[in-house]
């Protein structure tokens, strides 16, 4: 029952908002180039369906590649940190600097270095930098959170570092990692959008570029259509990662158990 | 035959409270014979856990030495908390020591199932720790300690967090396992009655820094918690403890 209500209430809210939006535009005769009605946005989606889907595919590809790269790099770095205090002490400050530096500021540099002929790679690198830190932070914390007594027990029975990592540290880290991945999924999309904005005309073909382009042409309905697709993509990424989290943790971890109950 | 000897052990820990650190153990010496059931009794903070972890080789002493005159035996360790992997079922938790030794999975599973059966948990192989009661979790922990067929079993206040009924039942089970396997047991506790009922010998430790204040042999048969012999043993242990803490 609660699950049903979890869906019914937000959907009802959306209906109310869209309805009053439509009515406001109609009643006050708001020009479509200022704010288009939801129906106009829907028409824009239908009219440009094929090209919008192509743009969505392009942005989604960058996002997913960046997310996968950030996950691999973040977990690998965290494992490195967990094996060597020296490594962690040396590199963690730089990871933090990377995190606090606005990536928009270094995006033009990356584009120049990688080159516009390899625009896709440049976009992926920028989005990866944006998504990397939550994965690293989550995995690092998780790998450190193993029960000290359990680690002692493993050592007592002659466990190797690799066995301890695989049998105890990594499973302990899983909930922390998944939580970092949920944050990183949204950030990868933001990173992809920012990268497209910076890359600018002609070279990038994703949804962010469609927003810039339709803004320049005052096709505000198309702009909103691209925006809606971006928001929907973000929601779907979050939902997919939440589902993954639930599937992996539901049997044993408090966070997932209380959700299911 | 001496299985384990600690001689002149000193151990100091760094501390945020005290400059120069905390002297947890100072000149601690005792020996344990093969097949004995020995309790290490003392107030909280006196260094019992430290002594046990030293015996297991999980800590190294600052002074003195831990020796196994006839070679280091296979050791089983039971913590105060069950210390199970929450993501793994009872069987997987129990077989951990065997898996770490790279025993083939089939054999490890068979031995783990047998160990679970010995502690009364047959049929609970697939249960996750969160589905088990406190006493059952402790039983899994004991099964895990026994699965690699240790000669020496070290227990650190294993029943302290359990209710009295469960505690008594587990104590009796521990005695049975000790007799059946010819184990050597070093049992850390802060309960006088538990040490009096379970053990053949009680080592009394004073407050920090830990050493042995009294070594009391209990030559009675362990079959009744309230027999006059057991009660008499409690009196003796109590007196030694009071003398040590005064
Ligand atoms: N890893 C540690 N770091 C710092 N101090 C410790 C550590 N382990 C134990 N101690 C200190 O050593 C003393 C003895 O501890 P412990 O052996 O756990 O006592 P017991 O098990 O008898 O309660 C205590 O004062 C405790 O604070
Ligand atoms: Mg203790």
């Amino acid at each position: 029952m609660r699950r049903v209500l979890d869906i019914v209430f937000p959907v009802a809210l959306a209906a109310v908002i869209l309805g009053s939006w439509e009515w406001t535009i109609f009643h006050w005769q708001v020009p479509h180039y200022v704010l288009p009605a939801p129906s106009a946005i829907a028409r824009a989606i239908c009219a440009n369906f094929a090209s919008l889907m192509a743009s969505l595919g392009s942005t989604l590809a960058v996002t997913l590649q960046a997310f996968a790269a950030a996950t691999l790099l973040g977990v690998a770095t965290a494992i490195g940190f967990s094996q060597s205090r020296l490594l962690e002490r040396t590199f963690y400050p730089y990871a933090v600097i990377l995190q606090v530096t606005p990536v928009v500021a270094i995006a033009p540099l990356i584009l120049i270095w990688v080159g516009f002929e390899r625009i896709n790679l440049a976009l992926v690198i920028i989005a990866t930098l944006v998504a990397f830190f939550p994965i690293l932070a989550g995995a690092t914390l998780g790998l450190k959170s193993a029960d000290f007594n359990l680690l002692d027990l493993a050592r007592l029975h002659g466990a190797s570092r690799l066995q301890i990592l695989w049998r105890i540290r990594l499973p302990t880290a899983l909930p922390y990692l998944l939580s970092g991945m949920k944050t990183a999924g949204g950030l990868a999309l933001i990173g992809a959008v920012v990268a497209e904005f910076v890359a600018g005309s002609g070279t990038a073909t994703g949804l962010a570029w469609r927003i810039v382009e339709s803004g320049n042409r005052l096709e505000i309905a198309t702009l909103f259509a691209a925006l809606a697709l971006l928001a929907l993509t973000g929601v779907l990424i979050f939902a997919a990662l939440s589902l993954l989290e639930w599937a992996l943790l539901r049997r044993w971890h408090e966070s997932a158990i209380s959700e299911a109950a | 035959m001496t299985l384990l000897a600690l001689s002149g052990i000193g151990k100091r820990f760094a501390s945020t409270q005290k400059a120069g650190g905390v002297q947890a153990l100072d000149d601690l010496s005792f020996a344990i014979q093969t097949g004995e059931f020995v309790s290490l009794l003392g107030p909280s903070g006196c260094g019992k856990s430290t002594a046990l972890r030293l015996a297991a080789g999980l800590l190294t002493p600052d002074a003195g030495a831990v020796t196994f005159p006839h070679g280091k035996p296979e050791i089983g360790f039971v913590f105060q908390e069950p210390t199970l992997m929450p993501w793994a079922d009872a069987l997987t938790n129990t077989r951990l020591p065997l898996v770490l030794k790279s025993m083939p999975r089939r054999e490890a599973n068979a031995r783990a199932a047998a160990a679970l059966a010995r502690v009364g948990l047959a049929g609970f192989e697939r249960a996750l720790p969160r589905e088990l009661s406190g006493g059952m979790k402790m039983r899994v922990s004991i099964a895990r300690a026994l699965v690699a067929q240790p000669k020496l079993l070290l227990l650190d206040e294993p029943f302290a967090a359990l209710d009295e009924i469960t505690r008594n039942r587990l104590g009796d089970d521990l005695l049975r396992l000790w007799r059946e396997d010819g184990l050597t047991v070093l049992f850390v506790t802060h309960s006088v009655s538990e040490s009096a009922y379970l053990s053949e010998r009680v080592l009394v430790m004073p407050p920090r820094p830990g050493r042995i204040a009294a070594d009391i042999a209990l030559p009675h048969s362990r079959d009744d918690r309230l027999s006059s012999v057991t009660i008499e043993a409690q009196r003796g242990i109590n007196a030694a403890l009071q003398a040590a803490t005064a």
Side-chain angles (χ1 to χ4, degrees):
Chain A
M1 193 58 207
R2 271 189 48 204
R3 298 231 121 178
V4 176
L5 293 182
D6 278 351
I7 295 171
V8 168
F9 282 135
V11 168
L13 179 66
V16 169
I17 288 177
L18 290 176
S20 30
W21 179 354
E22 186 82 39
W23 182 85
T24 308
I25 304 289
F26 175 77
H27 187 78
W28 300 98
Q29 293 292 307
V30 179
H32 65 87
Y33 52 83
V34 174
L35 182 65
S39 56
I41 297 171
R43 274 199 302 278
I45 293 183
C46 293
N48 303 299
F49 191 74
S51 72
L52 277 173
M53 280 302 133
S55 298
L56 174 64
S58 156
T59 301
L60 198 58
V62 171
T63 304
L64 294 183
Q65 287 173 59
F67 179 69
T71 303
L72 286 178
L73 284 175
V75 171
T77 311
I79 288 176
F81 285 178
S82 78
Q83 296 304 300
S84 155
R85 281 286 292 151
L86 184 70
L87 214 60
E88 178 174 5
R89 284 209 180 130
T90 313
F91 285 100
Y92 203 77
Y94 294 98
V96 173
I97 290 173
L98 190 70
Q99 152 75 1
V100 296
T101 308
V103 174
V104 202
I106 47 173
L109 258 182
I110 293 170
L111 280 161
I112 291 167
W113 286 341
V114 177
F116 281 85
E117 67 279 7
R118 283 184 297 176
I119 185 73
N120 211 57
L121 179 63
L123 298 183
V124 170
I125 290 177
I126 294 169
T128 303
L129 288 177
V130 178
F132 172 71
F133 194 76
I135 306 252
L136 173 67
T140 303
L141 179 64
L143 288 170
K144 275 186 187 170
S145 299
D147 184 332
F148 283 151
N149 284 337
L150 208 48
L151 294 176
D152 271 347
L153 189 86
R155 279 184 209 114
L156 179 70
H157 291 289
S160 66
R161 276 169 162 246
L162 193 66
Q163 284 178 317
I164 287 179
L165 178 68
W166 178 247
R167 304 226 170 258
I168 296 173
R169 286 198 191 273
L170 279 174
T172 308
L174 192 61
Y176 300 83
L177 173 64
L178 286 164
S179 152
M181 284 169 73
K182 277 208 296 197
T183 310
L187 284 178
L189 182 62
I190 293 176
V193 167
V194 166
E196 282 182 34
F197 277 159
V198 175
S201 66
T203 43
T205 52
L207 283 174
W209 165 243
R210 295 300 293 271
I211 288 175
V212 175
E213 187 192 47
S214 8
N216 290 342
R217 294 185 189 166
L218 281 185
E219 292 170 6
I220 306 300
T222 313
L223 188 155
F224 268 88
L227 198 58
L229 286 178
L230 272 179
L232 188 68
T233 308
V235 169
L236 288 182
I237 289 174
F238 187 81
L241 289 171
S242 299
L243 191 68
L244 178 71
E245 183 179 43
W246 178 80
L248 290 176
L249 302 184
R250 77 198 149 92
R251 288 192 69 221
W252 65 276
H253 200 256
E254 281 84 354
S255 63
I257 291 164
S258 55
E259 252 173 62
Chain B
M1 191 170 78
T2 302
L3 180 75
L4 160 71
L6 280 72
S7 44
I9 299 282
K11 184 69 190 175
R12 178 180 282 277
F13 289 110
S15 164
T16 49
Q17 314 295 325
K18 262 169 77 175
V22 177
Q23 189 74 33
L25 300 174
D26 190 18
D27 199 19
L28 172 82
S29 301
F30 65 84
I32 292 180
Q33 308 304 311
T34 303
E36 270 190 311
F37 193 127
V38 179
S39 284
L40 201 54
L41 174 77
S44 168
C46 73
K48 304 183 294 294
S49 298
T50 306
L52 207 62
R53 291 157 56 79
L54 278 157
L58 294 170
L59 284 175
T60 45
D62 300 332
V66 177
T67 47
F68 297 93
H70 301 276
K72 190 169 180 180
E74 176 73 34
I75 294 176
F77 204 109
V78 180
F79 299 92
Q80 178 169 348
E81 304 297 324
T83 315
L84 303 176
M85 302 179 284
W87 58 85
D89 60 27
L91 189 81
T92 311
N93 267 293
T94 304
R95 77 180 177 211
L96 180 69
L98 305 179
V99 169
L100 292 175
K101 288 180 172 57
S102 305
M103 181 182 282
R105 191 53 52 93
R106 277 170 139 265
E107 192 183 347
N109 280 346
R111 289 200 190 187
L116 281 172
R118 288 194 69 202
V119 298
L121 284 182
F124 288 91
E125 292 82 4
R126 290 282 154 235
L128 288 171
R130 69 177 183 89
E131 298 163 331
L132 300 172
S133 70
M136 290 159 95
K137 277 189 270 215
M138 193 41 85
R139 286 175 187 277
V140 176
S141 189
I142 293 173
R144 178 182 60 191
L146 293 176
V147 77
Q149 294 170 328
K151 293 267 177 302
L152 175 61
L153 186 60
L154 304 173
L155 305 100
D156 191 357
E157 304 192 31
F159 311 146
L162 302 176
D163 63 88
E164 190 173 356
I165 299 167
T166 312
R167 181 159 63 225
N168 289 348
R169 196 169 295 151
L170 275 167
D172 288 332
D173 283 344
L174 179 61
L175 280 179
R176 172 176 57 83
L177 294 167
W178 167 61
R179 289 202 185 99
E180 286 175 6
D181 289 9
L183 283 169
T184 307
V185 175
L186 181 54
F187 184 89
V188 163
T189 178
H190 57 222
S191 159
V192 171
S193 57
E194 206 168 51
S195 69
Y197 174 63
L198 293 176
S199 42
E200 299 179 300
R201 237 173 96 206
V202 180
L203 305 172
V204 179
M205 289 175 76
R208 223 181 48 223
R211 35 189 191 80
I212 302 301
D215 184 339
I216 306 167
L218 303 177
H220 65 98
S221 62
R222 278 145 289 276
D223 47 16
D224 185 352
R225 283 170 204 280
L226 294 175
S227 72
S228 53
V229 197
T230 313
I231 302 290
E232 196 51 44
Q234 285 188 28
R235 279 214 186 86
I237 297 164
N238 233 335
L241 194 61
Q242 236 129 51
T245 48

